[in-house]
Amino acid sequence: MRRLVLVALLTAAVPGCFYPADRGRALEAKVDKLGADNARLEAELKEARSQLAATLPKIDEKVAQVTQALQSLDTAARRKDADIGVQFQKTVEDLSQLRGQVETYLYKIGELEAALGKSTEETNQRLLALQGTEAVKEAEAKKKADELQRPTEKKEFLALAQEKSKAGDVLVARQLYNEFVKKWAKDALVGEAHFGLGETYFTEAKCREALFEYGKVVQDFPKTASAPDAYLRSSDCFQKLKMKEESKLALEELVKSYPKSDAAKAAKTKLAELDKKAAPAPKKGKK
C-alpha cells in the first residue's frame, strides 16, 4: 500500500508549461503583423508561380515551332530566302521574349520565397519570445538535435542521448530521449530513456518534472537497470521539495525492492542518518 502511495505521488508530478503574461501588447501586435505579411507574401508567390506555369507551355510551343522550322528548311528551300528569314527571326524573337518573362517570374519567385522565409523566421522568433526563454532554448535545442546523425540501432541511439546528457547538453539529450520513447515505445530500454529524461530535469533542478519520469521507471519498468537509482533520485527530489516523509518512503521502498543494489546501500546510509536526526537527545543525568 505504501508503495502504491509513493508511485501515485511520483506519477502525479506531471510537468506543466508556464508562459509569462507580461510580454506586452506591442510584441503581440508585431506577431500579428508578421502573420499578415506572411499571408500576403504567400498570395504573391502563388500568383507568380501561376503566371510561370501559364508561360511555360508557350515556350514549349515556340521551341517546337523553331525545331519544326529547322527540320523543314530543305522543304522550304524553294521559298524565298527573305520570307524564311523573316519567319525564323520572328519565332526567335518571340522565344526570347518568353524566356525574358520566365526569368522575371523566376527572379520574383526567388525574392518572394526569401522574403517569406525571413518573415516566417521572424514570426517564429516572436512567438517563442512570447512563450519565454525556456521555449527559445527548447527550440534551439531541437534545431541542434535535428542536425545530428541518428544511429539506426536502438542501443547506439540511447548511447548518443546519454553521451549528450553527460556532456552537459541536456536539452539536446532530452530531445533524443523523447524521440527514443516514441520510436521504440514497447522496448524494455524505454525505462532507461525515461530515467535519462529524469536526469536531464534533475540537472536543471526541475524536481516535479524529474519525479514524473522517475515515476514512469519504477511503475512501468521496475526491472530496468536504473530502477534502483530512480528511487534514490526520487528521494532527493522529494527532499528538495520539502516532502520529507515521501523522501524517506522512497528510500525504504528502494531497500525493500532492490536490497542488493548499490543504490540500496546509499539508501541505508541515508536512512541511518535520518533516524539519527530523529532520535531524541539523551537526557542528562542528575548530579
Side-chain angles (χ1 to χ4, degrees):
M1 182 66 181
R2 283 163 59 83
R3 182 181 183 278
L4 291 177
V5 172
L6 176 63
V7 170
L9 285 168
L10 287 169
T11 53
V14 180
C17 297
F18 302 93
Y19 302 105
D22 57 347
R23 293 293 172 182
R25 295 182 179 178
L27 188 56
E28 293 180 358
K30 289 181 180 179
V31 172
D32 292 339
K33 183 178 182 301
L34 286 168
D37 290 342
N38 285 356
R40 177 180 56 80
L41 287 170
E42 286 176 354
E44 291 181 8
L45 184 58
K46 183 178 180 181
E47 182 181 356
R49 285 175 172 165
S50 177
Q51 291 174 342
L52 178 60
T55 303
L56 287 175
K58 295 180 181 179
I59 292 179
D60 292 338
E61 182 181 352
K62 286 296 179 182
V63 170
Q65 290 177 4
V66 172
T67 302
Q68 184 179 3
L70 291 173
Q71 290 175 346
S72 61
L73 280 178
D74 290 339
T75 305
R78 289 171 294 179
R79 297 174 58 186
K80 294 182 180 179
D81 292 340
D83 291 340
I84 295 174
V86 169
Q87 183 181 1
F88 185 77
Q89 183 63 32
K90 186 178 185 305
T91 303
V92 171
E93 289 175 356
D94 290 343
L95 183 59
S96 177
Q97 184 179 1
L98 288 170
R99 282 178 175 170
Q101 291 178 7
V102 170
E103 290 176 358
T104 301
Y105 291 146
L106 289 174
Y107 179 77
K108 185 176 181 180
I109 287 173
E111 284 191 324
L112 287 171
E113 287 178 337
L116 182 60
K118 182 179 179 182
S119 181
T120 301
E121 180 65 23
E122 290 178 358
T123 301
N124 292 337
Q125 291 299 324
R126 296 291 184 183
L127 288 172
L128 287 172
L130 283 172
Q131 295 174 4
T133 55
E134 287 296 322
V136 175
K137 290 180 180 179
E138 290 288 346
E140 291 175 350
K142 184 178 185 306
K143 183 178 180 181
K144 188 175 180 181
D146 289 342
E147 296 173 354
L148 288 175
Q149 184 72 29
R150 301 291 200 280
T152 56
E153 206 278 322
K154 59 187 178 183
K155 290 184 178 180
E156 293 179 1
F157 195 108
L158 184 63
L160 175 62
Q162 293 169 336
E163 177 186 333
K164 291 296 179 182
S165 183
K166 289 179 181 179
D169 209 346
V170 294
L171 293 180
V172 173
R174 192 175 300 157
Q175 293 284 340
L176 294 172
Y177 281 129
N178 279 318
E179 285 182 33
F180 186 96
V181 171
K182 292 177 181 178
K183 191 170 183 178
W184 290 284
K186 297 182 179 180
D187 194 272
L189 287 175
V190 170
E192 292 299 310
H194 279 295
F195 180 78
L197 279 168
E199 292 291 90
T200 65
Y201 288 119
F202 186 84
T203 300
E204 297 179 325
K206 295 180 178 179
C207 285
R208 295 190 182 278
E209 291 87 342
L211 280 170
F212 177 76
E213 299 299 338
Y214 296 143
K216 294 290 289 183
V217 177
V218 301
Q219 181 181 22
D220 299 335
F221 304 94
K223 294 183 179 181
T224 194
S226 295
D229 292 317
Y231 272 112
L232 193 61
R233 285 297 204 202
S234 297
S235 175
D236 292 338
C237 284
F238 281 129
Q239 188 70 30
K240 290 178 183 293
L241 294 171
K242 309 299 182 184
M243 301 171 70
K244 295 182 180 180
E245 289 298 322
E246 290 79 2
S247 176
K248 184 178 180 181
L249 178 58
L251 294 174
E252 290 172 347
E253 285 299 324
L254 167 55
V255 173
K256 179 181 176 181
S257 301
Y258 306 94
K260 297 182 179 180
S261 65
D262 291 337
K265 295 178 182 178
K268 290 177 182 178
T269 301
K270 290 188 176 185
L271 285 170
E273 292 175 355
L274 291 175
D275 291 339
K276 184 178 180 180
K277 290 179 180 179
K283 295 181 179 180
K284 296 182 178 179
K286 294 182 180 180
K287 292 182 178 180

